[in-house]
Amino acid sequence: MSTTTHIEYAIPERIDRLPLSRETWRIMLLAGIAWLIESYDIGIMGNVLPLLEKQYQLNSFTVGMLATVSTLGIVLAIIPAGWLADRIGRKKILVIGTAWYAFFSLICGLAPTIPLLIVCRLIAGLGMGAVFPIPYAMAAELTSKRIRGSMTSVLDSFLSFGYFLAPLLALLLIPQLPEQWGWRVLFYIGGLPLLYVPVLVKWMPESPRWLTVKGRAEEANWIVSQLEQQIESRTGLLLPPPENSGGQPASTTSKVSLGIFSRAYFKRTMMMCISFACILFIFYAIQTYTPTVLLKEGYGISNAFLLTTIIVVASIPGKYAAAYAIERFGRKFTLISFTSIAAVSALFFGFAHNGALALSCGCVLSFFGIGVDPVIKIYGAEQYPTHMRELGIGVFEGVGRLFGGVLAPFIMAFLLASFDVAGSYVFVAVIAVIGVCVVSWLGTETRGEVLEKAANVADSSILQQSISDSHTF
């Protein structure tokens, strides 16, 4: 069968039979680099906080504001950005968001006072919020059902490289620079992604699934046809015929706006909001407060940065382990097992009183507690149909980052000031257990399913009632 006959099939069927190829890796690399440079920007604050606290004699409230204000910007932007991505496209929001946060990260380095730095971090967070949900939605919509989970895990590892880069550069640069310049240079580096924006404009494709839903079938066909032709030309082999997904083709899926809080999707939305918040709480406890905790334990600033770098880098193999587990054992099992191990390791980390034990427990906590992040992300992307996928992602990301990102650092700052490190990480473990219970109770398995099928509610009577309700209003 020649490539020209592929157009008789629906776009999802054609995507689902594409192999893991150089062309797929190129698209994922573009999305991954966008995440890497964003995660570096997010990772900056945890490493400059001790310097700012020392230089400006900051109180606990100001420290909490600096730690959380960019996340507050993410929360404010992420839902409207998701809504916009469902209307004007994934690629446009990715490009605009990347340029936005890179520019304001550069401005942060020029801030003359702490209040102005807080304002700049808030504004930069708006761009971060726009970018965050895009790469894993693109991974879900541009890769086949056989690999979308593992590809999201590999893609998410770029975040860990960025988080690792922040303490690594802090370790290398800050001891060599005057105290008043070290933190500024880290922000200047955060402005370099401005140079990456033209690359995204030229090489990142739009989601063919989104184009199809928006009635732009010719553009969607052109993108998928290019991938098909490139793969067949390079390998010298014809692609296998697309599988019949059964039922209604995805390209003609109903666009009735059921709403993410409708009866049909309410359970999924609640599960994602709660579980995402719990898992993000673990992440922010590690990413933002590990240097502070280690300094509190008396390790010294250089040792604290070194240990933090090692702990954060342990999340990278954790995400690769998740890439294997998510396709081998399923989304739900991987979520529950990784988060449970993270809860136990948080307890041990809190009670560790020597460097070797703290490092070991911190690495296990990072391996599983951050390693699970891509699993919850692709699982969330699979909960909603294409016409409202980014909005759904935006809502659970926004709610999750409000409670897991904005409130978590304030809670951790209060716990560390009022109790010892052990008490703080007992709280982290409890939060992790809550996330495990919610996924166990409300979650369903989506491994190996066509994306459009995974996103459909199982109970057709509920779906019909929701459609009827939408007509009523």
Side-chain angles (χ1 to χ4, degrees):
M1 180 172 58
S2 66
T3 302
T4 57
T5 63
H6 294 335
I7 60 174
E8 64 188 79
Y9 295 94
I11 291 294
E13 294 173 343
R14 292 165 65 187
I15 292 174
D16 273 342
R17 63 83 155 88
L18 293 178
L20 181 57
S21 64
R22 183 184 305 170
E23 291 73 22
T24 303
W25 281 114
R26 186 191 71 233
I27 296 170
M28 292 300 100
L29 180 63
L30 288 169
I33 292 173
W35 253 354
L36 185 152
I37 55 185
E38 180 180 30
S39 61
Y40 165 79
D41 193 277
I42 293 171
I44 290 173
M45 189 50 67
N47 295 282
V48 303
L49 266 179
L51 303 175
L52 292 170
E53 192 171 5
K54 179 181 178 182
Q55 183 177 342
Y56 292 97
Q57 301 298 307
L58 305 179
N59 57 36
S60 296
F61 178 80
T62 305
V63 170
M65 282 295 295
L66 284 168
T68 60
V69 70
S70 64
T71 305
L72 179 59
I74 292 172
V75 171
L76 292 174
I78 204 165
I79 296 177
W83 182 84
L84 282 172
D86 282 335
R87 278 148 186 80
I88 68 173
R90 282 71 163 120
K91 178 179 177 178
K92 287 181 181 177
I93 297 300
L94 180 63
V95 169
I96 294 169
T98 300
W100 182 290
Y101 75 72
F103 175 76
F104 282 101
S105 179
L106 183 65
I107 297 301
C108 283
L110 301 172
T113 65
I114 293 299
L116 282 176
L117 177 60
I118 290 173
V119 171
C120 290
R121 288 296 290 171
L122 175 65
I123 297 173
L126 299 176
M128 298 177 201
V131 169
F132 247 122
I134 304 296
Y136 63 91
M138 295 286 277
E141 294 175 358
L142 275 162
T143 58
S144 79
K145 61 184 179 181
R146 299 181 303 277
I147 61 170
R148 67 174 180 258
S150 58
M151 285 304 297
T152 303
S153 295
V154 173
L155 185 62
D156 203 86
S157 69
F158 282 84
L159 285 172
S160 285
F161 279 110
Y163 296 134
F164 157 72
L165 188 61
L168 177 63
L169 288 178
L171 176 66
L172 295 175
L173 296 177
I174 287 176
Q176 312 303 322
L177 294 170
E179 185 177 272
Q180 66 272 23
W181 279 102
W183 64 271
R184 294 184 185 276
V185 170
L186 293 180
F187 281 119
Y188 296 152
I189 294 172
L192 292 177
L194 284 169
L195 303 176
Y196 186 61
V197 171
V199 177
L200 288 174
V201 172
K202 182 173 179 60
W203 297 107
M204 175 63 79
E206 183 53 88
S207 164
R209 279 180 157 104
W210 178 81
L211 289 168
T212 302
V213 167
K214 303 306 284 187
R216 295 159 61 178
E218 290 186 7
E219 295 175 62
N221 174 64
W222 185 86
I223 292 171
V224 177
S225 295
Q226 287 294 304
L227 291 172
E228 292 167 340
Q229 292 168 10
Q230 289 168 8
I231 293 170
E232 289 184 340
S233 175
R234 182 172 49 78
T235 62
L237 300 172
L238 294 178
L239 290 167
E243 298 177 4
N244 191 334
S245 60
Q248 189 181 29
S251 59
T252 59
T253 298
S254 172
K255 296 182 184 179
V256 174
S257 180
L258 301 178
I260 60 172
F261 290 107
S262 67
R263 187 181 173 195
Y265 288 94
F266 183 78
K267 184 177 78 170
R268 294 183 176 197
T269 300
M270 289 299 98
M271 176 194 69
M272 288 306 307
C273 287
I274 297 170
S275 60
F276 199 81
C278 292
I279 288 173
L280 276 183
F281 196 104
I282 303 171
F283 165 79
Y284 279 104
I286 298 170
Q287 187 66 44
T288 303
Y289 273 99
T290 297
T292 302
V293 167
L294 293 173
L295 285 171
K296 191 179 181 72
E297 291 290 296
Y299 290 101
I301 191 165
S302 293
N303 286 334
F305 283 139
L306 177 60
L307 292 176
T308 299
T309 302
I310 296 171
I311 288 171
V312 171
V313 84
S315 68
I316 298 174
K319 291 180 178 180
Y320 294 141
Y324 171 78
I326 195 173
E327 302 296 2
R328 177 67 176 82
F329 304 109
R331 278 72 161 138
K332 190 172 178 179
F333 174 85
T334 306
L335 272 171
I336 291 170
S337 58
F338 271 53
T339 310
S340 297
I341 296 171
V344 174
S345 58
L347 288 175
F348 281 98
F349 180 74
F351 286 94
H353 294 299
N354 66 73
L357 183 59
L359 179 61
S360 299
C361 295
C363 286
V364 175
L365 176 58
S366 179
F367 184 97
F368 290 100
I370 299 181
V372 75
D373 287 356
V375 185
I376 192 69
K377 289 175 180 177
I378 190 61
Y379 193 51
E382 292 169 341
Q383 303 301 312
Y384 303 103
T386 301
H387 71 276
M388 63 178 187
R389 178 166 294 118
E390 285 290 356
L391 176 60
I393 290 172
V395 167
F396 72 70
E397 279 259 14
V399 173
R401 291 186 186 279
L402 174 62
F403 289 97
V406 175
L407 296 183
F410 273 109
I411 292 170
M412 287 296 291
F414 171 78
L415 291 172
L416 288 169
S418 304
F419 305 96
D420 56 11
V421 173
S424 302
Y425 281 85
V426 167
F427 189 81
V428 173
V430 170
I431 293 297
V433 170
I434 292 173
V436 167
C437 292
V438 170
V439 173
S440 301
W441 180 34
L442 298 177
T444 57
E445 186 54 62
T446 55
R447 174 174 62 111
E449 291 186 355
V450 175
L451 184 59
E452 284 68 24
K453 182 180 178 182
N456 283 337
V457 289
D459 187 347
S460 60
S461 64
I462 292 178
L463 177 61
Q464 186 60 44
Q465 181 62 45
S466 296
I467 295 174
S468 176
D469 292 344
S470 69
H471 290 318
T472 300
F473 292 100

